[in-house]
Amino acid sequence: MKPISILSPGGLVAMTLAGAVTAALAADPLPSWNDGLAKQTIVGFVGKVTREGTPDFVPVPERVATFDNDGTLWPEQPIYFQMLFALDRVKALAPQHPEWKDKEPFASLLKGDMNSALAGGVKAMLEIVVTTHAGMTTGEFEQIVKDWMGTARHPRFKRPYTDLAYQPMLDLLAYLRANGFKTFIVSGGGVEFMRPWTEKVYGVPPEQVVGSSSKTKFGLRDGKPALIRLPELDFIDDKSGKPVGINAHIGRRPIAAFGNSDGDREMLEWTQAGGGARLMMLVHHDDAQREWAYGADSRIGTFSDALMSEAKQNGWTVISMKNDWKRIFAFEE
Amino acid sequence: MKPISILSPGGLVAMTLAGAVTAALAADPLPSWNDGLAKQTIVGFVGKVTREGTPDFVPVPERVATFDNDGTLWPEQPIYFQMLFALDRVKALAPQHPEWKDKEPFASLLKGDMNSALAGGVKAMLEIVVTTHAGMTTGEFEQIVKDWMGTARHPRFKRPYTDLAYQPMLDLLAYLRANGFKTFIVSGGGVEFMRPWTEKVYGVPPEQVVGSSSKTKFGLRDGKPALIRLPELDFIDDKSGKPVGINAHIGRRPIAAFGNSDGDREMLEWTQAGGGARLMMLVHHDDAQREWAYGADSRIGTFSDALMSEAKQNGWTVISMKNDWKRIFAFEE
C-alpha cells in the first residue's frame, strides 16, 4: 500500500507534523470500504498505474475513469430518480395538457397508477421524459432541475436525492482524482438532468458528464439567442451506446470503468479491450436492509446471470454493497 | 496590468530572484502580439474576470473559452487541411474502388482537377470526407491521421501542418489556461481528425475538442470489442450547430469565444448572450504577405460584410493578423 499517493505535496508537508496514528487514519484512501477483495483491487490498481518506471504506469492525461450513475453512484429504486422528476413534471404541466387525460401513459400517471403507466417499458418512460423535458430553454430546464433537487424528497429515505450519493463511491472518486485521474459520469440518464448538480455532489464538472440527450435548436427566445429543448431524442447513452458516447465526448478509452447492470456491459468490455492495466467493477445490490437487493429479474438495474458469468470470466470485480461497504450513505452513523 | 497573474506560485518564488528587466519581459503574457486594441482587450478582460471581489469576477470552473480551429488556430488555405488529408485518402484507397473512376467527385479528384471535384461545395466535400474516413476502427483512423501529420507537408510553407499553429493564438491559449481557463476547440472539422494532435500542438486534450462527427458502431473486430466508423454523418458543428455542440459537450456557456468566419457567428452570439463580462473576437485574414488575405467572397472562411457589421454593432473585437500579430508562425524569425 502506498498511502502517500493520495496526498498532495502540501499534504505531505502536513503529514510530517502529524502523529503516527493520525497518519495511519488519514492514509486510508477508502474509509467507507471494508477490507476485502474489492478494496484491495482498487488500491492495487491505482498503485500499479501511478508507479513511474514500471510497465503498468499510465501518464496522468490518460488516467480516465468512467462511472455509470443510476445504481452505481446513487440508488435507482423504486425507479430511476429522473422518472420521479418526470412524473412531477407531468403533474405540474397537466393543466396545460387537457389531452393527457385520455392519452397513455399520461392518463394512468395522473390517476396515480404508475404500474400501468410504465407497462410500456423503456419506450413509455422515454416518451414521458422527452415530452416533459421539452419546449423550454436549456437555462430554464436547468433551473427546474435545481428547484426540484432542492425540494423533492426520496420516498423511502425522506431526504433530498442528492443526499443519497453512495459514500464509498464518493471516497473512490476522490481517491482516483487525488491520483491524477479525470473522473467522468457515463449514464443512461439525461445529461441535462445530471449536470446541474454533479459538480457539487460528486465533484464531476458538467463537461465530464456524458449521458442521453434530447435534440436542441439554436434560436431566439424573447429576442435573445437561446437553445430550445426539442421533444426528440438525440442519443441514448446505454448498452452499446456507452462506448459510442465515451468516444464521442472523451475521445480516449477509459482505463477504469464502474457500473452495476447489463446496461454497463459494453462500457466494461470496451475499457478492458485497451492494452495495459485496466480496472472493471460492478456494484451488486445485495443489501435489502440498508439499500435494496435486486438483480437478474429486476425491471430497473437488471444484473443478469449472463453478466455475472461474464464478470467472472473476464476478471471483473463484483462489489457487494452488503460486505464491501462499511456505510452506504453519508447520513448513516 | 497584472503580470503576476500568469505565474504559478512556483514562478512567483523564481521571480523574486530575477532582475527587473527579465521580469518585465517574462511578464508580457502575449509576446507575439503587437500592442494595440486587440491585445489590450484580451488583457483587460482576463484581469477583470480574475479579480476576486469585483462584480465581473468569474470562478475558475466557469472560465470556459472556446476556439474555432480552421482559420482561427491554424490556416485554412488553399483549402481546409482535412480536405487535403481526405484527398490523399482518395488516392490511397482508389485501387480498392475502381468505381471511383466514373463517379464524381472522385473521378475529377483522381485526375487532379480539384476545382471540378469541389464544384459541388460543402456537400461534395462532406461526401469525400465521410466516404474516405469510414470502415475502419477509431483506433485505426487515429493512426492514419498521425501518420499523415507526420509526413504530409503544406503546399505553400513546405512544413508539417502542425507547425502552422498561429503563435499568437498559442500565446493566448497558454495565457488563458495560466489564468484558470479551460480551453476548448469548437470546430466544423472532424473531431477525430483533430484529437490525435491537439494536445501536443495546442495543449488541448481530446476531451476538450468539440467537432463534426461521423456515426460509430460498437461491435467486434478480429474478435475484440471495437468502434467502427460508419459512412454516415452524425453532427455538423458549424454555424447554429456550434452552440448546440458546446451545450452537448461542455454543458456550460463560454465566457470567451474566438472565431474567424460566418461559421462562428452563432457561437459568439451565444457566448455574448450570457450575463457578465464576455470576450468575443474574430481573426481577420488581412495579411497576404505572411499568410493570406480573404474575406467576404472567399469559398473557405467567408467573413461576410454582415458579420463585420454585427461585430461592430455587438462590440466584438476584430483581430487584424497584419497589425495585431508580431509574428504568425513559430518558425518565423
Side-chain angles (χ1 to χ4, degrees), chain B residues 200-247:
Chain B
K200 198 173 142 200
V201 175
Y202 300 135
V204 176
E207 62 269 26
Q208 285 163 225
V209 181
V210 182
S212 298
S213 55
S214 294
K215 293 203 170 171
T216 63
K217 188 179 156 56
F218 181 76
L220 292 179
R221 180 60 69 100
D222 302 328
K224 276 183 68 175
L227 287 169
I228 315 295
R229 293 177 57 86
L230 304 178
E232 193 184 340
L233 267 175
D234 184 38
F235 179 66
I236 301 182
D237 190 50
D238 198 30
K239 301 188 191 286
S240 65
K242 290 207 176 192
V244 170
I246 289 170
N247 184 63

Side-chain angles (χ1 to χ4, degrees), chain A residues 182 192 195 206-207 247-248, chain B residues 182 192 195 207 247-248 252:
Chain A
K182 223 171 192 175
E192 302 216 39
R195 283 175 169 162
E207 61 270 26
N247 184 63
Chain B
K182 223 171 192 174
E192 302 215 41
R195 283 176 169 162
E207 62 269 26
N247 184 63
R252 300 195 211 252

Side-chain angles (χ1 to χ4, degrees), chain A residues 57 79 82 94 125 138 159 161 208-209 211 256 262 289 295 318:
Chain A
F57 176 74
I79 194 170
Q82 188 172 2
M125 286 198 234
T138 50
R159 288 178 169 272
Y161 292 94
Q208 287 164 222
V209 181
D262 287 20
Q289 205 180 338
V318 176

